[in-house]
């Protein structure tokens, strides 16, 4: 009698080197803040022990040249390359109005970043996992880049990046933003009507007893910069720069931090108990969901049940 059991399906062919590199690159480009080197070390270790060849295969495939190219793309995508740039990244741009405004904006942004963002680095502690440092640090920087090569500096970009890395305490996060200011009237930018737009991207990662990432991208504008009092009919470059920084501050405070705070609070404490509380399973005895508004009743019932068990144990001990 023949065996009628189905034959096992053939195993898929192993991925090619190009497919391995593509997968590894996607994983690296998704690295949480401060963990690029750690994930790179893990990928090399996985490749070495998963049929990728001998001990030298991972080093040959995921070599330093390939890794640095992936790191450059990662830094550009996350705007982390701003950390390695000076405050005068890019061309200032020609023309008295554009150049003076860009320089004024650099000075104003320098003061704003010093006041609102921190730069600190604690004593470094080596990471036993390799491929990175477990030191706690906070870094930030900005750049102001002219987008024009001619004498009419009618558009420029302000980029900011900040990160706080504390791998010893299992969390890290980054804040990056890009603001575009352009002249919509066609005159010298210091005298013209300007329009601002931007986007803020945030990443938060916590991996103590779990692995949770929260990523948010908030588009902003377009709007005209907030007006700043000026002693002349044509605002001076310093006044225009102050209005741009004021709009950035308003966006970050009211449109990003406040709204994200409300969103994160509603996840846990919103109407009906919040999204996370609503995920709690139906209770097996009553076949109802947890009533978070009357959670004290459940705590009281549990306390009384525990007290009853303790009294029963004491009675049994006395009888014995």
């Amino acid at each position: 009698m023949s065996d009628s059991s189905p034959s096992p399906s053939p195993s898929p062919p192993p991925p090619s080197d190009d497919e391995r590199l593509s997968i590894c690159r996607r994983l690296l480009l998704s690295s949480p803040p401060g963990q690029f080197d750690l994930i790179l070390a893990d990928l090399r270790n996985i490749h070495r022990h998963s049929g990728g060849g001998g001990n030298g295969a991972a080093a040959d495939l995921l070599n330093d040249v390939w890794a640095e190219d992936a790191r450059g793309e990662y830094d550009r995508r996350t705007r982390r390359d701003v950390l390695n740039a000076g405050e005068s990244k890019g061309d200032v741009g020609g023309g008295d109005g554009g150049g003076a405004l860009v320089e004024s904006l650099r000075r104003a942004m320098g003061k704003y970043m010093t006041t609102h963002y921190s730069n600190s680095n604690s004593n470094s502690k080596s990471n036993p996992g390799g491929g990175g440092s477990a030191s706690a640090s906070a870094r930030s920087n900005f750049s102001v880049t002219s987008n024009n090569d001619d004498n009419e500096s009618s558009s420029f970009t302000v980029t900011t990046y900040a990160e706080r890395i504390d791998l010893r305490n299992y969390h890290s996060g980054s804040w990056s933003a890009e603001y575009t200011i352009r002249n919509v009237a066609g005159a010298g930018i210091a005298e013209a009507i300007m329009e601002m737009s931007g986007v803020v991207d945030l990443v938060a990662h916590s991996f103590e007893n779990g692995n949770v990432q929260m990523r948010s991208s908030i588009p902003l504008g377009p709007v005209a910069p907030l007006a700043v009092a000026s002693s002349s009919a044509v605002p001076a470059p310093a006044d225009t720069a102050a209005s741009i920084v004021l709009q950035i501050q308003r966006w970050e405070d009211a449109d990003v931090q406040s709204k994200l705070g409300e969103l994160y609070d509603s996840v846990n404490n919103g109407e009906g108990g919040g999204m996370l509380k609503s995920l709690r399973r139906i209770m097996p005895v009553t076949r109802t969901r947890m009533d978070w508004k009357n959670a004290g009743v459940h705590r009281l019932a549990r306390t009384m049940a525990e007290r009853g068990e303790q009294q029963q144990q004491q009675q049994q001990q006395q009888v014995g």
Side-chain angles (χ1 to χ4, degrees):
M1 184 175 182
S2 62
D3 187 4
S4 61
S5 60
S7 59
S9 58
S11 59
S16 65
D17 285 351
D18 288 341
E19 290 173 330
R20 290 176 183 270
L21 288 174
S22 177
I23 293 170
C24 290
R25 194 178 191 92
R26 287 200 301 269
L27 290 172
L28 278 175
L29 295 179
S30 301
S31 301
Q35 298 173 61
F36 183 96
D37 288 330
L38 294 172
I39 293 177
L40 175 61
D42 287 342
L43 289 173
R44 284 172 168 168
N45 189 48
I46 292 171
H47 176 72
R48 186 178 297 114
H49 295 90
S50 63
N55 290 334
D60 293 338
L61 188 62
L62 308 181
N63 55 62
D64 290 342
V65 175
W66 176 87
E68 287 307 308
D69 182 69
R71 187 193 305 275
E73 183 178 356
Y74 174 81
D75 287 349
R76 290 189 298 272
R77 285 192 178 190
T78 60
R79 307 187 185 97
R80 194 176 185 275
D81 54 345
V82 174
L83 289 180
N84 302 320
E87 293 182 356
S88 57
K89 176 186 174 185
D91 292 334
V92 175
D96 295 336
L101 176 58
V102 170
E103 289 301 326
S104 296
L105 184 54
R106 285 183 180 140
R107 288 191 292 270
M109 282 299 302
K111 294 178 181 178
Y112 177 75
M113 296 292 291
T114 301
T115 304
H116 292 81
Y117 294 83
S118 60
N119 278 287
S120 64
N121 189 23
S122 67
N123 294 328
S124 178
K125 180 181 179 181
S126 62
N127 188 339
S133 172
S135 63
S137 65
R139 301 177 62 195
S140 64
N141 201 2
F142 74 96
S143 69
V144 180
T145 308
S146 173
N147 301 328
N148 302 84
D149 296 328
D150 53 19
N151 289 332
E152 291 294 336
S153 184
S154 59
S155 175
F156 55 95
T157 301
V158 177
T159 307
T160 64
Y161 181 87
E163 66 181 18
R164 185 181 295 274
I165 312 299
D166 193 354
L167 303 186
R168 288 177 295 184
N169 291 312
Y170 310 104
H171 65 262
S172 64
S174 68
W175 170 301
S176 65
E178 187 172 273
Y179 305 101
T180 300
I181 301 95
R182 66 186 187 93
N183 181 344
V184 296
I189 194 166
E191 307 137 2
I193 300 173
M194 291 182 299
E195 182 181 83
M196 284 184 64
S197 59
V199 60
V200 175
D201 295 307
L202 298 98
V203 179
H205 183 216
S206 176
F207 51 100
E208 183 176 13
N209 296 325
N211 192 330
V212 178
Q213 292 192 50
M214 300 188 73
R215 296 176 179 265
S216 302
S217 183
I218 301 97
L220 302 165
V223 298
L226 297 178
V228 173
S230 176
S231 58
S232 60
V234 178
D239 296 330
T240 305
S243 71
I244 293 171
V245 174
L246 185 61
Q247 179 62 56
I248 291 175
Q249 181 178 355
R250 180 183 180 277
W251 270 338
E252 292 188 350
D253 291 344
D255 291 65
V256 180
Q257 295 194 59
S258 295
K259 291 185 178 180
L260 281 178
E262 295 174 0
L263 173 63
Y264 295 157
D265 183 66
S266 68
V267 167
N268 191 49
N269 300 310
E271 184 178 354
M275 183 187 71
L276 294 180
K277 291 179 179 179
S278 67
L279 295 176
R280 194 182 193 278
R281 65 182 176 86
I282 294 175
M283 291 183 288
V285 176
T286 61
R287 308 304 299 173
T288 60
R289 290 195 176 276
M290 179 74 169
D291 184 4
W292 292 99
K293 294 182 179 180
N294 296 313
V297 175
H298 301 282
R299 286 194 294 269
L300 176 61
R302 186 178 61 184
T303 301
M304 293 178 64
E306 292 174 351
R307 181 63 58 85
E309 292 176 358
Q310 293 175 359
Q311 292 177 351
Q312 186 177 6
Q313 292 175 358
Q314 292 174 358
Q315 291 173 359
Q316 292 175 351
Q317 291 174 357
Q318 291 176 358
V319 172

